[in-house]
Amino acid sequence: MAQLANIEQMEAYTEAVKSGLYAKKSGLVGKYDNVRRYWEDEITRRFLRPHLWRLIRRSQAMMRRVRILDLGCGSADGYELLAGIRQRDSDLNDVEVDLLTPENLGLYKGVDLNEDLLEQARTIYGDNPKMVFEQADFTEGLPLGENEKPYDLYFASFGTCSHHNDDETLIHLLSDIAERVESYCIIVCDWIGRYSYEWQTLWTNDLAENRNMDYVVSYIYDKEEREDRRDELQHIYLRLICRQEAEGIVSEASQRADVEIKPLAFFDRSVFTGRHMDTAEYNPHAQPIRHGVNSLHEANQRTDLNLALVNYVPKAGFDFINDYLEHLQMCWNTLVIYVDELLRTYDEAHNDLASELPPIPASYPKPLREMMERMRKVIAGVGWLGIGLPRENIIEPQLGYALRHLIMDLQQGRGCGHGLVGIFEVDKE
């Protein structure tokens, strides 16, 4: 009997392992690494927040709840991104308030071509009657039934729009959306950025060249396993886009629908931290900066800050990109070096910063000056703690957030990051 009981207990452990709940979680690698959760999702949320807030208030004024169509929903990653948008950044005594709540969500419909991902989404959210998932290929047109009501938010995330290898299919989709709108909607398009430093070898001044890239999904493995699995790696053909091309696509869709699709914002996501920075698949000069930033946000792990320094190598003939990335690199590295200097000169005996710190030059860009001052206060405020690994668990994550702030404030929305995101509106009123 005891042996049988032991066998049954072992089977329980086996089931737990199969469920994935016993997997060792790490933010250093994988689809949902720290950069994905603390940078990419949050950057998209910040830029989308004012537009989603206005959309929700508009719907409430009309006594309606918001309807969302997620194009290329995968396992409902888009819903989770939207549900994480907050009305504001909370004060210390506030409770965070989500912008999208069960009370103001009328329907979320996710469509995707991959049935396995849809099944995963149904497993997670299938009990929610406001969430439905359907298989459809949105490159063949807008996946709406003949009598289906239009939506308030048409949302695409994480390079989904780059699955339109031929611009004609995306033009057709956007014009369909514009024609079906009754009064107002927001459209979010997400492409792969043409001028990301990750694939500098693919840069071209002739936009008719290198329109689609052979995107290899190698980043989910470490270097050794990546090479061992080289023949097994998945390849996806994705459209590379810069802002000029995106504006042309949207303009053509507007003309065909005879309805204005108005650009509200463009932003670059994952400048210097795209997934293929670590693989160097498309740029021999790429450094594993994403790994360094992942390490900054990893609990109980101390980061060699030299791993977070960017050494941008310019490409001749692309001065407009080189100037921007050179400027961004200098700001990034200045902040990292400043923090490293503060840590090295911290006075352990007196639990305080070194008595004489050089002033922050007034000529530095405002976001950089603000983040340098912020990090000085952080280190002065927690350096004395001792217990709980203050460098690993407070100072380094705050450096990560400060670098993220630089990226958000200095980005130009031109297609210089892993992702280029455009936010548009259709207003028939």
Side-chain angles (χ1 to χ4, degrees):
M1 286 292 289
Q3 184 177 7
L4 180 60
N6 286 336
I7 291 174
E8 290 176 346
Q9 290 183 45
M10 291 304 103
E11 289 178 349
Y13 283 120
T14 299
E15 286 302 312
V17 171
K18 288 181 179 178
S19 73
L21 298 178
Y22 263 39
K24 295 180 180 180
K25 302 295 184 181
S26 169
L28 298 176
V29 296
K31 181 179 179 182
Y32 302 105
D33 63 0
N34 290 328
V35 170
R36 163 67 188 269
R37 291 181 295 154
Y38 301 128
W39 280 47
E40 293 171 338
D41 285 356
E42 289 300 322
I43 289 172
T44 302
R45 285 172 179 141
R46 172 187 158 173
F47 282 98
L48 187 55
R49 176 168 61 185
H51 307 292
L52 181 60
W53 172 237
R54 189 174 68 254
L55 179 67
I56 290 172
R57 293 189 65 181
R58 189 184 187 112
S59 296
Q60 290 174 334
M62 300 174 66
M63 294 294 110
R64 292 196 307 104
R65 292 183 289 186
V66 175
R67 291 167 52 85
I68 299 171
L69 179 61
D70 189 350
L71 299 162
C73 65
S75 53
D77 286 0
Y79 171 76
E80 291 165 1
L81 190 155
L82 293 169
I85 299 177
R86 298 172 288 277
Q87 285 190 21
R88 61 182 182 275
D89 293 326
S90 299
D91 296 328
L92 292 178
N93 61 342
D94 283 341
V95 175
E96 289 186 347
V97 181
D98 293 331
L99 195 55
L100 188 66
T101 66
E103 289 73 26
N104 58 40
L105 176 64
L107 176 67
Y108 167 91
K109 176 180 174 181
V111 298
D112 201 280
L113 191 57
N114 189 299
E115 184 59 39
D116 292 332
L117 291 174
L118 290 170
E119 190 55 39
Q120 187 177 33
R122 294 185 188 108
T123 300
I124 300 170
Y125 296 108
D127 292 336
N128 188 334
K130 293 183 180 180
M131 299 180 67
V132 296
F133 300 92
E134 296 181 5
Q135 187 177 36
D137 184 355
F138 62 87
T139 65
E140 296 183 355
L142 185 61
L144 295 186
E146 184 176 348
N147 297 318
E148 188 172 354
K149 293 181 180 179
Y151 289 79
D152 303 296
L153 173 62
Y154 295 85
F155 185 71
S157 57
F158 297 106
T160 296
C161 289
S162 281
H163 287 282
H164 291 268
N165 301 122
D166 184 347
D167 292 350
E168 181 60 34
T169 61
L170 182 54
I171 291 170
H172 180 62
L173 175 68
L174 293 174
S175 62
D176 277 357
I177 292 174
E179 289 175 355
R180 292 285 294 265
V181 170
E182 290 181 349
S183 60
Y184 185 85
C185 82
I186 294 288
I187 304 170
V188 179
C189 293
D190 194 316
W191 293 274
I192 298 295
R194 179 179 279 281
Y195 296 116
S196 177
Y197 185 45
E198 299 160 89
W199 34 78
Q200 192 185 56
T201 55
L202 301 179
W203 290 5
T204 176
N205 284 308
D206 184 351
L207 299 183
E209 296 179 352
N210 294 343
R211 292 168 62 83
N212 293 291
M213 72 177 292
D214 180 6
Y215 187 97
V216 58
V217 186
S218 57
Y219 54 80
I220 59 176
Y221 305 109
D222 60 32
K223 184 175 181 179
E224 184 175 335
E225 188 175 5
R226 189 160 61 237
E227 295 307 318
D228 290 342
R229 292 175 172 265
R230 180 60 59 180
D231 294 336
E232 306 171 19
L233 298 176
Q234 294 180 318
H235 291 251
I236 309 170
Y237 287 93
L238 297 175
R239 174 74 160 96
L240 294 170
I241 287 282
C242 67
R243 179 167 177 168
Q244 178 183 342
E245 293 170 289
E247 289 175 332
I249 289 170
V250 172
S251 176
E252 179 63 26
S254 295
Q255 291 180 29
R256 293 195 189 178
D258 196 22
V259 176
E260 182 184 17
I261 304 175
K262 180 181 178 182
L264 299 176
F266 282 96
F267 63 91
D268 292 319
R269 188 187 57 240
S270 296
V271 182
F272 289 146
T273 55
R275 293 188 182 274
H276 279 296
M277 285 295 291
D278 289 6
T279 70
E281 293 275 4
Y282 307 93
N283 181 2
H285 305 300
Q287 308 160 254
I289 299 299
R290 189 181 183 104
H291 177 77
V293 175
N294 275 330
S295 181
L296 290 176
H297 290 283
E298 188 72 1
N300 301 325
Q301 174 158 312
R302 178 166 295 202
T303 305
D304 178 355
L305 295 187
N306 288 315
L307 299 177
L309 292 173
V310 178
N311 181 20
Y312 174 68
V313 178
K315 183 173 182 176
F318 293 87
D319 289 348
F320 68 105
I321 304 173
N322 292 331
D323 290 347
Y324 161 63
L325 293 180
E326 179 76 17
H327 175 74
L328 183 61
Q329 173 210 250
M330 292 298 294
C331 292
W332 176 296
N333 289 349
T334 297
L335 179 59
V336 173
I337 292 169
Y338 181 72
V339 169
D340 187 54
E341 179 69 14
L342 292 176
L343 292 171
R344 286 191 303 103
T345 59
Y346 187 82
D347 188 342
E348 298 279 356
H350 297 91
N351 290 328
D352 201 357
L353 295 171
S355 57
E356 293 187 9
L357 291 171
I360 299 171
S363 60
Y364 285 0
K366 181 180 178 182
L368 175 58
R369 298 198 312 271
E370 291 176 344
M371 291 303 101
M372 292 174 72
E373 178 63 23
R374 176 189 180 92
M375 290 308 304
R376 188 192 66 78
K377 291 179 179 178
V378 168
I379 295 171
V382 305
W384 60 273
L385 285 174
I387 299 174
L389 302 176
R391 169 170 172 167
E392 291 85 340
N393 294 326
I394 302 176
I395 296 171
E396 289 191 7
Q398 285 300 316
L399 174 57
Y401 295 131
L403 290 169
R404 187 187 74 186
H405 181 81
L406 285 184
I407 291 293
M408 288 193 292
D409 273 31
L410 299 177
Q411 64 81 37
Q412 298 179 349
R414 296 165 67 176
C416 296
H418 185 98
L420 172 65
V421 182
I423 304 174
F424 312 91
E425 72 174 359
V426 174
D427 188 352
K428 293 185 175 179
E429 296 181 350

